[in-house]
Amino acid sequence: MAETVEVLVPGGRATAGPPIGPALGPLGINVKAVVDDINKLTASFNGMQVPVKIQVDDKKNVTISVGIPPTTALIMKEVGIEKGSSEPSSTIVGDLPIEAAVRIARMKLDDMLSYELKTAVKEVIGTCVSVGVTVDGKKPKEILAAISAGQYDSVLEA
């Protein structure tokens, strides 16, 4: 019977300690080798929490699949901030270009509730509201209205 372990690890900096070590130790596999593989696969997400699924089959073969970090983490990385605003409605901590919102939406499209890019971009911009980030120098709600009005269709179709 195959075992599956799902964990959230810091990109490129997973360790053999909790939560990975205690979950994989009893399965009789080389935990250090698995951690090294995870770190190679998540290196591009340095500084972000990354969802990782580790599957171990009956013959002790390990399959690692790396998910995409949460939208909030991707926004904060694009903007270059460590954490979101403590008062997002009044304190702005950064500005996200619309092109970056489109890039994040493309990355996350399979994991989102949206079926098309335009609504996925709206989801990303909606997340900017709770992080305290403006989009193209405007309040996220203004950008959402502009997208609905078709003002950003050229960016969304590229």
Side-chain angles (χ1 to χ4, degrees):
M1 173 119 174
E3 291 283 331
T4 301
V5 177
E6 294 185 33
V7 292
L8 207 57
V9 299
R13 293 183 284 150
T15 65
I20 298 173
L24 296 181
L27 302 178
I29 59 171
N30 183 344
V31 177
K32 183 178 180 342
V34 172
V35 169
D36 289 345
D37 289 344
I38 290 171
N39 286 336
K40 284 179 198 161
L41 293 170
T42 62
S44 62
F45 298 120
N46 190 16
M48 291 187 266
Q49 292 294 314
V50 183
V52 175
K53 185 187 287 187
I54 306 160
Q55 292 178 310
V56 182
D57 66 16
D58 296 334
K59 296 178 182 170
K60 309 274 187 236
N61 294 324
V62 178
T63 306
I64 300 169
S65 52
V66 177
I68 301 210
T71 305
T72 308
L74 294 171
I75 290 169
M76 291 191 304
K77 182 172 183 169
E78 283 285 342
V79 175
I81 56 175
E82 290 290 316
K83 62 180 197 166
S85 174
S86 57
E87 296 177 18
S89 58
S90 60
T91 307
I92 302 301
V93 293
D95 184 58
L96 183 73
I98 189 71
E99 294 80 12
V102 172
R103 206 169 34 251
I104 292 170
R106 285 184 203 275
M107 259 191 255
K108 297 287 292 180
L109 194 57
D110 293 339
D111 298 337
M112 294 179 135
L113 298 172
S114 303
Y115 294 116
E116 46 191 72
L117 184 61
K118 188 172 190 173
T119 52
V121 170
K122 285 180 165 185
E123 276 189 58
V124 171
I125 292 170
T127 304
C128 290
V129 173
S130 61
V131 179
V133 171
T134 57
V135 180
D136 271 354
K138 299 176 185 165
K139 290 183 178 181
K141 291 181 181 181
E142 292 174 22
I143 297 291
L144 289 173
I147 289 173
S148 295
Q151 294 177 18
Y152 286 95
D153 284 354
S154 62
V155 177
L156 296 173
E157 292 170 3

